[in-house]
C-alpha cells in the first residue's frame, strides 16, 4: 500500500485515508482521530474501481 496518507478535511472533520491494491487484493484504511473511529476494508480481489467507489461513499457519508 505504500507510505503516503491522504488527508481529507472539511469544516468539522479530518479524515486520514490510505487505499491501495497489492497481490490481487484491495484495501481501504480510513480513520478520524478527533472522533475516535476508524474503518478497515479488505477486498479479496484487485478491483481499483470498486475500492474507489467504496471510498467515495465513505467520505460522502461521513462528511455530510
Amino acid at each position: 500500500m505504500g507510505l503516503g496518507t491522504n488527508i481529507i478535511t472539511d469544516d468539522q472533520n479530518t479524515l486520514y485515508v490510505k487505499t491501495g491494491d497489492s497481490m490481487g487484493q484491495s484495501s481501504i484504511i480510513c480513520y478520524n482521530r478527533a472522533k475516535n473511529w476508524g474503518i478497515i476494508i479488505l477486498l479479496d480481489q484487485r478491483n481499483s474501481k470498486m475500492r474507489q467507489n467504496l471510498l467515495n461513499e465513505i467520505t460522502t457519508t461521513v462528511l455530510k
Side-chain angles (χ1 to χ4, degrees):
M1 281 183 34
L3 300 174
T5 302
N6 295 319
I7 300 172
I8 302 170
T9 61
D10 70 359
D11 294 337
Q12 301 171 356
N13 297 291
T14 300
L15 302 179
Y16 299 89
V17 179
K18 182 65 186 154
T19 64
D21 298 320
S22 177
M23 297 176 58
Q25 300 173 340
S26 296
S27 58
I28 299 172
I29 300 171
C30 179
Y31 61 95
N32 183 329
R33 289 182 182 176
K35 296 190 177 180
N36 200 28
W37 64 263
I39 298 170
I40 298 173
I41 298 175
L42 304 172
L43 303 171
D44 65 350
Q45 60 180 322
R46 188 175 184 171
N47 189 334
S48 60
K49 185 174 181 180
M50 180 191 305
R51 176 181 44 83
Q52 191 60 43
N53 288 339
L54 282 170
L55 180 61
N56 290 340
E57 286 293 324
I58 291 167
T59 55
T60 301
T61 302
V62 169
L63 298 178
K64 278 186 177 180

